[in-house]
Amino acid sequence: MQDATNDPLTQEERERIRLIRLGNLQAAQNAQPKQETLQSTASTSVSVSSTSLSSSPTTLRPTTLAKPVNAVKSDQVSPKPASPLTPKQPALTFEAWQNEALSRILLVSLNENAPAPMLFLSDLAQELAKEKEPLAISQASLDRVLVGRMSVDPNETSDDHLLDRGQLRFTLFDYLLDCWKRLETVKLQTSRATTLSENVIEERIQSLNASKSLLVSYAGLVLQMPDMFPQIQSLTLLGASQLVERLFSDQDTPSGVPTDFLRDISVRFKEDGLENIIQPLVAGISAKAKIVTILTDWRTPFRALATLARVPAIAAVIPQVATWNPTNATARQMEIVSALGPFFKISGFCFDDPSVAELFGTGLRRNKADNVGAFNSIRGTIHNIHTSLFQIVNDIIRSGPEAREKMLSYFYSVLSKNERRAQMQIDRATVSGDGFIYNMTEILMQFCNPFMDNHHSKVDKVLNTFFKGKAKIDIGKETRICASKELADEYSADASPQAINFISEIFFLTLGFHHIGVSRMYVDYKRFIKDFYEVKDQYERLKEQESAGQLSAENSLLIKRYETQLEKMLTYRLSLESQIMDPIILTHSFQFYNLVMAWLLRMVDPAHVYPRSLIKLPLPTKPSDDFATLPEYIIEDIVEYFLFVLRHSPEIVGSSTLDELITFTMVFLITPGYIKNPYLKAKLAEILFYMTLPYRGQRNDDTLGIKLNTHPMALQCLVPAIMNFYVEVENTGRSSQFYDKFNIRYNISQILKFVWTNSIHRDMVRTESQKSESFVRFVNLLMNDTTYLLDEGLTKLCEIHSIETEMDDKETWEAQTPQHQQERDGALRTAQRQASSYIALGNETVNMLSYLTEVIKEPFLAAEIVDRLASMLDYNLVILVGDRMSTLKVKNPDEYRFQPRILLSDIIAIYLNLDCQAFIAALARDDRSYSASIFHKASKILEGRNLKNADEIDKLRRLVRKVEDVRKQGERDEEELGEIPDEFLDPLLYSLMEDPVLLPTSNISIDRSTIKSHLLSDTTDPFNRMPLTIGDVIDNVELREKIQAWKVSQKSSRRQHQAEPMETD
């Protein structure tokens, strides 16, 4: 991100530059297919085999030719010419043709009278004359001719016998390459001749192939030893640098290098110093790649390297260069000093390349169409880069096993050096950039394509024991899915050798790069967006003060700083979204993570046949060591990906069956012990929650959650899984567990609410309710949450009401000190934020109680539950319709999701659903909050607001009358019993015990319902904190009988006393 504060350009100038750059980027992107076509045409336009028949031996000077290239058989070079009906004899003899052809190819002559541009080799002509050899160029004399031509000093001006000095202005490599091109032309023309016999053509082709091998040999030697012969004095760098510059040109241009020439070089020098030729080429091309960006000519170095890699022998040598995988380089340095680093470094992230920011314009209000155009241009360019990178890497990997191993080692090295990228807080200077890792991740995903089919037919090829022993990816510091440290250490210490196939290597590398790359970017984006909106809120509050004329001079400067900061943040956001929200990249990750989930499910499947057949539950109590010792980040990255996509791009997964995702979430939510981290399981529930939200429109049925009502695994497991997890998250082991559980349970409540209309899911809830102990725990926690959330939420509303009332008194408010105003304003915002959260969560828990009690009653009427439930309902009813109702009135209740009518209706529905003797008795025992007058007031509100129909209101009134009757009877019973002995009183509630039990460790008697209620939240003896379960308590039969006898005695005495005549005076 660039600092706009010192920018000398005007807004209009910056916009004009941005549009020019964007136009150039788009034009270059559109030109890519055409360039690729030209490259493909050029590579095949003069296609001939690089191997040739063995030429006749030639006499070589010690410092020239090391060995000739094997000649190509003529039938491998080109198609045989069509045989004429009557082949003619050639006009020239073979010797004459050879002299004429080689003279044209080499542009030299042994004839003093040869026409321009032939170069007369006078010294060689004199030597041949003395030897009484014919003054003609032949295969036998070719080596001497070439040496003679290359020995001519182009800087010597006294050689007036030279017929044409123009060709001497070129370097020897350029000369030899041009000779090679002319020879290929002659060869093509010869092979197509229709007037010559096949024997004549064959003879000439063999001669040309032998000549070509000599040209290739000298060309390679000149590249390695440019001082071997005299060269023209110029500023042109000699040696391999000459070939680098030619590689930057298109192959079909005079300055380009045909692929066939490179292939010939590779064949000739494969075992004779090819790496010495290729190393400076790679270095030169990499140097060019270091200075390009997506806005400049990045294609030139990519095309040059791709041209080299297209030749298998050269591709095999590229990983042998000294800079291939520098061991001492840091993660950041790998982008620059490694051979492929500059190619992977090119980035569409403005944090890596500030020039990218120019594509997004300036200001706080960006045009949406401009942003879309910038997105499309950047994404299109990055896709082209990925295509080129994959072609290069694929050619290297396919060139041979050694090159493949070195390519994989390079990926492993980059992954290892960047392990810190997975941390929450990192110093970016110590790790590779986002673009570098992002590009590598996508290239690896393209290698996964062959085994990412919809049926996961090759999932069995992925090694389950990859991390066993000394793995290629070090996970020693990583948290494991569910293994103890001892098991993890033992597993890593296994020294058994194992062969790792290519599919497994690519699979685990892709996992690793996702972990340090896009998975971390998803988390960073979430954190960044939170910071972005906090800054934006601060800025908008200051702008409101400015509009109201209440802004101080100090805050005026602060607004400018906020504007600058927001502009930078907005540009960074757009840049980040252009990459991590790219539909193509997200789709590739979706396919990959489907494969990962299928692999994990196959591991835990007892039959190990998934996905060929459905996984059978329940799973074994203990998972395999292979699964337990896997790094936890595998599952963490899966859930982070799906949460990101479901929040921001749900259409990516909208057309899929989501079989893997639903099966994965169901299996690991319902199976205890397989995922140790409860927050990972919570994210699985969060994924299901996001599936229930509309994503293409506002229709409630337009959700991915519809699949939860049809998928067999969801119909079987969803309800028991989420209800068990609702209880499980009560204790997560973290200091923040008390507050974390509310968000987790909110997601669960939304899932249950969504599937409640499905009769199969409702039947599953009924089935779960038959498990009395576990379901009662669920109900207990549901009540605890409701009590806390509504109490906190309504209290915060009262606080908001108080502060708003204070602020509305303008005269008093303006008389307050600025510090007091600021403190109260801060308190208001805090209360607003908390009220919104608490009330939203509270609404859902009350609503869940409402629809659950409609079909399930018994667990809510359990002795340890019913009194607390009645008290909670009565307390909240008093707040909603009693005298405190006026303190809940706030200016914007919808902001806090406060809907008192709906809340009142749900609470009344619970009363009506539980209208039975046990519940009525519990209401009657509530001396703290129950009041018949409150119910009468509630009835009037329900009737006046049309919240309940007449029958429901009448039923509520009858319920109140029943409660009143029971209360009166209770008063009479209490009067009959009189004062209760202390030994009969419950030690916690101080009420008469009905079913006393003895606690074994503290030896204290307590009512069974009281201790059961206590144990629902705390599994210890309340008097000495020793561990305790309901199964440990002992029936105190003796005390129970004493209480019953006392009650009978008291009632009998009371009746007898009432029957005695009253004494009168």
Side-chain angles (χ1 to χ4, degrees):
M1 293 179 284
Q2 294 178 326
D3 190 350
T5 56
N6 298 320
D7 191 348
L9 298 177
T10 65
Q11 177 70 21
E12 292 77 9
E13 290 172 329
R14 289 200 300 271
E15 179 64 12
R16 186 168 62 254
I17 292 172
R18 184 187 76 84
L19 292 175
I20 291 173
R21 284 185 175 272
L22 195 58
N24 291 339
L25 186 62
Q26 185 67 47
Q29 177 189 336
N30 293 336
Q32 180 72 7
K34 181 178 179 181
Q35 290 180 356
E36 291 175 351
T37 303
L38 289 175
Q39 291 176 22
S40 177
T41 303
S43 65
T44 58
S45 60
V46 193
S47 178
V48 292
S49 175
S50 60
T51 59
S52 59
L53 291 172
S54 300
S55 59
S56 56
T58 56
T59 304
L60 304 179
R61 300 185 181 185
T63 59
T64 58
L65 186 61
K67 65 177 183 181
V69 179
N70 292 332
V72 180
K73 293 182 180 180
S74 60
D75 60 353
Q76 294 178 337
V77 174
S78 57
K80 295 180 180 180
S83 301
L85 294 176
T86 54
K88 300 178 181 179
Q89 290 296 322
L92 297 173
T93 65
F94 175 72
E95 290 75 15
W97 170 85
Q98 189 172 228
N99 177 61
E100 188 273 338
L102 292 177
S103 292
R104 276 193 295 125
I105 292 170
L106 303 180
L107 296 180
V108 298
S109 177
L110 298 176
N111 183 356
E112 186 175 4
N113 298 319
M118 300 297 180
L119 186 67
F120 173 49
L121 301 179
S122 59
D123 291 345
L124 180 58
Q126 292 174 11
E127 288 180 18
L128 291 174
K130 288 179 181 180
E131 297 171 6
K132 297 182 181 182
E133 295 287 341
L135 297 180
I137 304 175
S138 65
Q139 192 62 45
S141 64
L142 181 59
D143 182 35
R144 297 176 68 182
V145 171
L146 273 174
V147 173
R149 163 63 183 84
M150 292 188 293
S151 297
V152 175
D153 188 351
N155 305 298
E156 179 59 50
T157 59
S158 62
D159 292 338
D160 54 2
H161 61 281
L162 300 176
L163 295 178
D164 187 289
R165 302 186 58 80
Q167 60 173 284
L168 296 181
R169 299 192 188 102
F170 300 103
T171 66
L172 290 179
F173 174 76
D174 292 338
Y175 165 74
L176 292 168
L177 179 58
D178 288 342
C179 290
W180 184 94
K181 291 180 179 180
R182 288 190 290 271
L183 185 147
E184 287 293 326
T185 302
V186 172
K187 184 177 171 183
L188 183 62
Q189 294 169 349
T190 302
S191 67
R192 293 177 176 177
T194 59
T195 60
L196 300 175
S197 67
E198 291 186 8
N199 292 336
V200 171
I201 293 174
E202 182 76 19
E203 185 180 26
R204 292 183 178 185
I205 292 294
Q206 288 185 14
S207 173
L208 291 171
N209 283 336
S211 301
K212 182 174 70 170
S213 69
L214 205 58
L215 288 173
V216 170
S217 293
Y218 275 115
L221 290 172
V222 167
L223 286 175
Q224 296 180 74
M225 297 177 286
D227 297 332
M228 184 176 184
F229 297 99
Q231 302 246 33
I232 185 71
Q233 293 179 358
S234 68
L235 298 177
T236 303
L237 295 175
L238 301 179
S241 299
Q242 296 175 262
L243 187 51
V244 171
E245 291 303 319
R246 283 182 172 271
L247 286 169
F248 289 151
S249 303
D250 288 337
Q251 294 183 30
D252 57 342
T253 63
S255 58
V257 182
T259 300
D260 288 333
F261 175 78
L262 295 173
R263 190 173 287 111
D264 288 345
I265 286 285
S266 71
V267 172
R268 162 63 185 83
F269 291 95
K270 184 175 182 181
E271 303 295 337
D272 192 24
L274 181 60
E275 64 277 5
N276 296 329
I277 298 175
I278 300 305
Q279 177 152 318
L281 298 184
V282 174
I285 297 170
S286 294
K288 178 78 170 179
K290 290 177 185 177
I291 61 175
V292 300
T293 69
I294 64 169
L295 302 181
T296 59
D297 182 21
W298 60 267
R299 290 176 182 81
T300 294
F302 276 74
R303 182 176 57 243
L305 187 60
T307 300
L308 289 180
R310 202 172 293 123
V311 180
I314 295 178
V317 170
I318 290 176
Q320 296 179 22
V321 301
T323 58
W324 176 253
N325 187 11
T327 55
N328 295 327
T330 64
R332 198 67 173 181
Q333 291 170 343
M334 289 291 280
E335 298 181 3
I336 304 297
V337 301
S338 65
L340 294 186
F343 297 91
F344 283 105
K345 178 179 179 291
I346 189 167
S347 173
F349 294 94
C350 67
F351 196 92
D352 296 330
D353 180 4
S355 66
V356 175
E358 300 172 13
L359 298 176
F360 296 106
T362 56
L364 296 182
R365 297 185 181 275
R366 312 286 175 96
N367 184 282
K368 185 176 181 180
D370 288 346
N371 291 338
V372 171
F375 275 26
N376 292 337
S377 296
I378 292 175
R379 288 171 180 174
T381 300
I382 294 298
H383 294 164
N384 289 334
I385 288 171
H386 289 162
T387 299
S388 299
L389 276 172
F390 177 74
Q391 176 189 338
I392 292 167
V393 176
N394 189 43
D395 285 340
I396 292 173
I397 283 179
R398 290 180 177 274
S399 66
E402 184 178 353
R404 180 178 68 185
E405 187 60 35
K406 286 182 177 291
M407 188 73 246
L408 293 174
S409 295
Y410 177 66
F411 285 131
Y412 282 122
S413 178
V414 172
L415 181 61
S416 175
K417 292 175 186 289
N418 281 282
E419 62 180 1
R420 281 176 292 185
R421 279 184 57 92
Q423 299 173 359
M424 291 297 295
Q425 299 293 334
I426 58 171
D427 179 0
R428 285 186 169 269
T430 64
V431 295
S432 300
D434 289 342
F436 185 73
I437 302 299
Y438 181 81
N439 293 336
M440 283 195 174
T441 305
E442 174 58 17
I443 300 313
L444 288 166
M445 278 199 289
Q446 291 190 32
F447 276 106
C448 291
N449 277 336
F451 52 90
M452 287 200 304
D453 58 286
N454 292 335
H455 301 291
H456 309 303
S457 57
K458 295 185 179 180
V459 68
D460 58 319
K461 303 296 184 183
V462 180
L463 197 63
N464 291 349
T465 57
F466 178 85
F467 292 108
K468 196 169 189 176
K470 190 175 182 181
K472 291 189 175 183
I473 298 176
D474 183 13
I475 59 169
K477 298 178 182 177
E478 299 291 343
T479 303
R480 308 307 173 93
I481 291 180
C482 59
S484 64
K485 186 179 185 306
E486 293 73 22
L487 175 59
D489 291 343
E490 180 183 347
Y491 192 82
S492 300
D494 192 306
S496 304
Q498 61 176 341
I500 303 176
N501 57 52
F502 182 72
I503 289 179
S504 294
E505 302 232 44
I506 291 297
F507 178 85
F508 287 102
L509 276 170
T510 309
L511 271 177
F513 272 91
H514 266 89
H515 181 54
I516 66 170
V518 289
S519 292
R520 178 47 48 192
M521 294 177 200
Y522 299 150
V523 176
D524 291 344
Y525 177 79
K526 181 180 179 181
R527 188 167 59 239
F528 166 79
I529 288 298
K530 180 181 178 182
D531 294 341
F532 174 80
Y533 281 110
E534 285 181 358
V535 173
K536 187 178 179 182
D537 288 344
Q538 292 283 352
Y539 171 74
E540 289 176 349
R541 283 201 294 271
L542 289 174
K543 291 294 287 184
E544 289 175 3
Q545 294 177 17
E546 184 181 47
S547 300
Q550 301 173 348
L551 195 66
S552 63
E554 180 181 354
N555 284 345
S556 295
L557 296 175
L558 191 59
I559 282 186
K560 293 294 183 183
R561 286 200 291 270
Y562 272 133
E563 286 179 349
T564 301
Q565 183 179 1
L566 272 177
E567 185 173 346
K568 290 180 180 180
M569 294 179 77
L570 181 57
T571 299
Y572 176 77
R573 174 182 177 178
L574 292 172
S575 170
L576 193 57
E577 290 176 351
S578 73
Q579 301 292 281
I580 65 174
M581 293 187 187
D582 182 342
I584 292 179
I585 305 299
L586 288 175
T587 299
H588 288 172
S589 291
F590 173 69
Q591 294 168 342
F592 176 70
Y593 278 128
N594 269 344
L595 172 65
V596 177
M597 290 188 292
W599 174 69
L600 290 170
L601 290 169
R602 185 183 181 85
M603 286 184 73
V604 300
D605 180 10
H608 302 295
V609 294
Y610 186 88
R612 289 204 305 270
S613 62
L614 292 177
I615 192 169
K616 294 183 179 179
L617 298 175
L619 298 182
T621 306
K622 181 182 177 184
S624 67
D625 291 350
D626 293 335
F627 176 82
T629 55
L630 287 174
E632 188 180 78
Y633 69 68
I634 294 179
I635 294 180
E636 183 179 8
D637 291 346
I638 291 172
V639 297
E640 288 297 347
Y641 166 78
F642 279 103
L643 287 174
F644 180 84
V645 168
L646 290 169
R647 288 188 192 113
H648 304 291
S649 302
E651 65 280 358
I652 296 296
V653 300
S655 59
S656 170
T657 61
L658 297 180
D659 283 342
E660 256 67 52
L661 179 60
I662 293 176
T663 303
F664 185 82
T665 53
M666 293 301 105
V667 167
F668 290 110
L669 272 177
I670 202 170
T671 305
Y674 273 58
I675 296 180
K676 181 173 58 177
N677 186 346
Y679 289 94
L680 273 186
K681 295 183 73 171
K683 289 182 178 180
L684 293 177
E686 191 175 357
I687 288 173
L688 299 177
F689 160 69
Y690 276 105
M691 288 175 63
T692 66
L693 301 180
Y695 75 98
R696 283 180 298 202
Q698 298 302 316
R699 304 200 326 268
N700 289 333
D701 61 342
D702 194 9
T703 73
L704 298 171
I706 296 298
K707 303 177 192 300
L708 298 177
N709 285 327
T710 57
H711 194 281
M713 186 68 77
L715 293 174
Q716 174 190 356
C717 302
L718 177 62
V719 167
I722 61 176
M723 295 187 76
N724 289 338
F725 191 56
Y726 193 102
V727 175
E728 186 179 333
V729 296
E730 180 69 16
N731 297 295
T732 62
R734 290 189 183 179
S735 58
S736 58
Q737 67 180 17
F738 180 79
Y739 299 101
D740 293 340
K741 66 184 179 185
F742 295 123
N743 291 323
I744 297 170
R745 286 172 177 167
Y746 173 81
N747 294 335
I748 293 174
S749 70
Q750 292 298 96
I751 298 166
L752 190 59
K753 182 178 181 179
F754 179 84
V755 301
W756 187 250
T757 56
N758 186 296
S759 60
I760 298 176
H761 286 304
R762 285 202 307 275
D763 289 342
M764 289 299 298
V765 174
R766 290 190 182 95
T767 301
E768 286 299 301
S769 70
Q770 302 302 314
K771 305 172 184 177
S772 58
E773 184 175 344
S774 61
F775 197 82
V776 165
R777 288 191 65 200
F778 167 78
V779 170
N780 174 68
L781 295 172
L782 186 59
M783 282 198 317
N784 289 349
D785 292 352
T786 305
T787 302
Y788 176 80
L789 292 170
L790 285 184
D791 187 48
E792 288 294 312
L794 298 179
T795 299
K796 293 302 176 184
L797 283 181
C798 293
E799 186 178 345
I800 294 169
H801 171 81
S802 174
I803 298 175
E804 286 180 344
T805 302
E806 181 182 351
M807 290 179 170
D808 287 342
D809 186 350
K810 299 296 183 181
E811 184 176 349
T812 305
W813 177 254
E814 291 174 0
Q816 300 292 340
T817 63
Q819 181 179 356
H820 176 80
Q821 292 179 348
Q822 187 175 359
E823 288 175 355
R824 295 297 282 166
D825 183 68
L828 175 62
R829 296 187 184 281
T830 299
Q832 288 172 332
R833 185 175 62 253
Q834 293 176 339
S836 177
S837 176
Y838 287 135
I839 291 175
L841 296 172
N843 288 340
E844 293 305 321
T845 54
V846 172
N847 183 249
M848 192 190 303
L849 280 171
S850 173
Y851 63 73
L852 284 177
T853 54
E854 185 178 0
V855 296
I856 301 169
K857 305 185 188 309
E858 288 78 9
F860 296 93
L861 301 175
E864 61 269 30
I865 293 292
V866 67
D867 283 345
R868 292 176 51 236
L869 176 59
S871 298
M872 181 269 292
L873 293 172
D874 290 344
Y875 175 77
N876 286 292
L877 186 63
V878 169
I879 294 177
L880 285 176
V881 302
D883 295 338
R884 290 179 57 187
M885 180 175 59
S886 60
T887 64
L888 301 179
K889 293 181 180 179
V890 292
K891 291 182 177 179
N892 300 302
D894 290 342
E895 260 184 49
Y896 319 116
R897 308 181 207 183
F898 180 49
Q899 299 171 311
R901 297 178 187 177
I902 295 177
L903 184 59
L904 175 61
S905 179
D906 283 343
I907 289 176
I908 294 300
I910 300 170
Y911 281 110
L912 298 179
N913 292 337
L914 297 177
D915 184 0
C916 63
Q917 191 59 43
F919 185 64
I920 291 171
L923 290 174
R925 288 193 292 268
D926 180 17
D927 294 328
R928 186 185 69 165
S929 301
Y930 172 81
S931 169
S933 62
I934 290 295
F935 278 90
H936 293 321
K937 191 172 182 180
S939 298
K940 292 180 180 179
I941 295 175
L942 294 170
E943 188 174 19
R945 301 293 185 180
N946 201 27
L947 298 178
K948 296 291 181 185
N949 60 42
D951 289 341
E952 291 172 320
I953 293 174
D954 186 57
K955 184 179 180 182
L956 178 64
R957 288 169 176 160
R958 291 199 303 271
L959 172 67
V960 173
R961 287 196 293 271
K962 294 176 187 175
V963 174
E964 289 298 306
D965 290 343
V966 172
R967 285 176 66 85
K968 290 177 182 177
Q969 181 61 45
E971 291 173 358
R972 290 194 293 269
D973 291 344
E974 186 176 345
E975 186 177 349
E976 284 183 354
L977 292 175
E979 185 176 354
I980 303 172
D982 290 345
E983 64 172 319
F984 298 163
L985 289 174
D986 184 281
L988 290 182
L989 301 182
Y990 293 99
S991 58
L992 178 65
M993 292 186 284
E994 299 291 339
D995 184 12
V997 293
L998 186 67
L999 305 183
T1001 57
S1002 61
N1003 203 34
I1004 293 178
S1005 291
I1006 190 171
D1007 195 80
R1008 186 184 300 275
S1009 63
T1010 303
I1011 193 61
K1012 287 179 71 175
S1013 178
H1014 168 80
L1015 291 176
L1016 289 173
S1017 303
D1018 187 348
T1019 57
T1020 63
D1021 186 317
F1023 302 103
N1024 60 11
R1025 314 307 300 166
M1026 295 294 290
L1028 180 68
T1029 67
I1030 194 62
D1032 297 330
V1033 302
I1034 304 168
D1035 287 344
N1036 197 334
V1037 179
E1038 181 183 354
L1039 181 58
R1040 184 188 309 123
E1041 292 176 349
K1042 287 177 64 177
I1043 293 173
Q1044 291 173 351
W1046 175 81
K1047 288 170 64 177
V1048 170
S1049 173
Q1050 290 294 103
K1051 290 181 180 181
S1052 175
S1053 299
R1054 183 64 178 173
R1055 292 192 191 99
Q1056 182 178 359
H1057 179 72
Q1058 290 177 346
E1060 293 178 354
M1062 184 178 297
E1063 294 184 4
T1064 58
D1065 293 334

